[in-house]
Amino acid sequence: MKSFSESYKAAGVDITAGYKAVELMKKHIARTMTASAVSDIGGFGGLFSLDLEGIKKPVLVSGTDGVGTKLKLAFLMDKHDTVGIDCVAMCVNDIICCGAKPLFFLDYIACGKNVPERIADIVSGVAEGCVQSGAALIGGETAEMPGFYPQDEYDLAGFSVGVVDKDKVLDKTAVTEGDVIIALPSSGVHSNGFSLVRKIFDVEKSDIKSPVAELGGKSVGETLLTPTRIYVKPMLALFDKITVKAVSHITGGGFYENIPRSLPAGFSAKIEEKAVRVLPIFDLLASTGNIPKRDMYNTYNMGVGMSVVVSADDADRALSILRENGEDAYIIGETVRSDEGVIIC
């Protein structure tokens, strides 16, 4: 017999809704199970059997993040099955920058009211992100917090762990002048800079559901909710075949903050502006908000979700491998001796 408290329900927390949500999400979680996931949901901890075959010096790599105010768009659009992909992507895309393979993921959902169908929709997105990255969804938590969150709102965060052989951790000190910088296209704004996005488009008051010509007939809301692209599998394929010197996940802070994080002191990224395939949503953001180019490149990914540094001799092969694995990768610049961090010219 499942527990039930009339008094707790009167305070705004319906634990029976939590049971229903778990039942609804089980089919989504099942999609993510790998041979190493050895526990079912519902326990006090998620169990994972670590397979270290072929790894001489295992190093665990962790990442945690949330979806941020992009969730406001999900509330306005009443669409909740994609933000989970964003949550996973923001964690596993960071882990891959170290050369690590994601192993498992845990999510945390806090809401004003537990609507089981909505919770299951959120988890379906988390599960899809896990499938795309090869990570098992081995646990999570749903907290119903009336009076803290509005009834129709929630927050979503996640945590992931990966593993890499210590000898294969990416070493940015290997970067030299003249290395090639390759761009992996983004799917859109991803999950960063949405406080500015919401201000520019005044999303709470304006029509974000009608088609917009500049966006190819999609609405602003639909375009902004496009989930973050997950780069794990193509990057693992690349690591397996060539030496990758540095990888940057282009998140909040755009080019100017993120690319220098992967470069050693004394080196900068020289980016050819004309080479960057800027997506229409960024042109619309810049024109609507009258945002200077410097600020755009310092806030958004501008169509580049990840940058990869390889030697010039490996560039063609790297492009070929990435394209074979579904990424329309292309060259955007090179490394130079400089202390400027990023030079866009």
Side-chain angles (χ1 to χ4, degrees):
M1 180 179 178
K2 291 187 180 296
S3 65
F4 174 75
S5 170
E6 194 66 53
S7 299
Y8 208 8
K9 185 176 180 179
V13 179
D14 184 357
I15 55 179
T16 61
Y19 299 142
K20 183 178 180 181
V22 169
E23 289 302 315
L24 291 174
M25 67 176 72
K26 280 184 176 179
K27 64 180 180 181
H28 303 301
I29 296 171
R31 297 179 57 218
T32 76
M33 290 298 98
T34 64
S36 295
V38 296
S39 64
D40 197 2
I41 59 171
F44 288 98
L47 278 62
F48 190 88
S49 177
L50 192 57
D51 181 4
L52 298 177
E53 184 178 355
I55 301 178
K56 297 179 180 179
K57 301 175 183 178
V59 175
L60 296 180
V61 181
S62 60
T64 186
D65 210 337
V67 183
T69 62
K70 182 174 184 175
L71 291 175
K72 287 285 189 180
L73 274 297
F75 306 154
L76 291 168
M77 298 291 288
D78 193 24
K79 181 173 174 56
H80 310 283
D81 60 351
T82 60
V83 289
I85 301 175
D86 291 296
C87 189
V88 175
M90 298 308 293
C91 298
V92 298
N93 282 346
D94 279 353
I95 286 175
I96 202 69
C97 290
C98 299
K101 175 184 178 181
L103 298 173
F104 59 81
F105 188 85
L106 294 92
D107 62 8
Y108 176 79
I109 304 168
C111 57
K113 181 177 176 59
N114 187 332
V115 180
E117 293 77 12
R118 184 168 61 203
I119 298 298
D121 273 353
I122 297 168
V123 174
S124 74
V126 174
E128 175 58 28
C130 287
V131 169
Q132 290 184 24
S133 61
L137 179 55
I138 63 170
E141 176 70 13
T142 302
E144 190 173 17
M145 302 168 65
F148 193 89
Y149 291 96
Q151 283 202 357
D152 293 329
E153 296 192 3
Y154 56 85
D155 199 4
L156 174 62
F159 169 81
S160 188
V161 171
V163 66
V164 62
D165 197 313
K166 186 175 182 180
D167 294 335
K168 295 183 179 179
V169 174
L170 298 194
D171 180 13
K172 65 182 181 182
T173 62
V175 171
T176 59
E177 189 169 26
D179 285 339
V180 170
I181 302 174
I182 295 173
L184 275 62
S186 71
S187 54
V189 182
H190 285 182
S191 300
N192 306 103
F194 271 83
S195 293
L196 180 56
V197 166
R198 289 166 46 237
K199 178 182 178 182
I200 291 172
F201 290 134
D202 194 13
V203 296
E204 281 84 5
K205 297 178 182 179
S206 61
D207 179 12
I208 61 170
K209 296 183 179 181
S210 296
V212 176
E214 293 93 328
L215 301 178
K218 289 186 175 182
S219 68
V220 167
E222 181 184 6
T223 302
L224 292 175
L225 272 185
T226 302
T228 304
R229 190 167 181 84
I230 292 176
Y231 302 100
V232 170
K233 292 181 179 178
M235 287 304 303
L236 288 176
L238 188 65
F239 295 150
D240 189 50
K241 295 178 180 178
I242 70 167
T243 298
V244 176
K245 297 186 178 184
V247 179
S248 295
H249 182 200
I250 313 299
T251 56
F255 282 46
Y256 286 102
E257 181 176 321
N258 290 289
I259 296 179
R261 293 167 64 184
S262 68
L263 301 177
F267 285 89
S268 297
K270 183 178 180 182
I271 305 296
E272 185 181 346
E273 185 182 354
K274 290 182 179 179
V276 178
R277 300 173 187 172
V278 179
L279 296 174
I281 185 62
F282 297 110
D283 290 329
L284 187 61
L285 277 166
S287 60
T288 303
N290 193 28
I291 307 298
K293 180 180 69 176
R294 177 63 165 72
D295 288 358
M296 290 295 295
Y297 277 90
N298 207 159
T299 307
Y300 299 110
N301 66 62
M302 301 302 285
V304 179
M306 189 161 278
S307 66
V308 180
V309 178
V310 299
S311 70
D313 291 339
D314 287 332
D316 287 343
R317 190 173 179 217
L319 289 170
S320 177
I321 294 167
L322 289 167
R323 289 166 183 167
E324 287 171 2
N325 286 272
E327 293 297 330
D328 188 16
Y330 61 99
I331 295 172
I332 56 170
E334 63 178 351
T335 56
V336 296
R337 290 192 177 277
S338 165
D339 292 318
E340 294 186 54
V342 173
I343 305 165
I344 298 179
C345 54

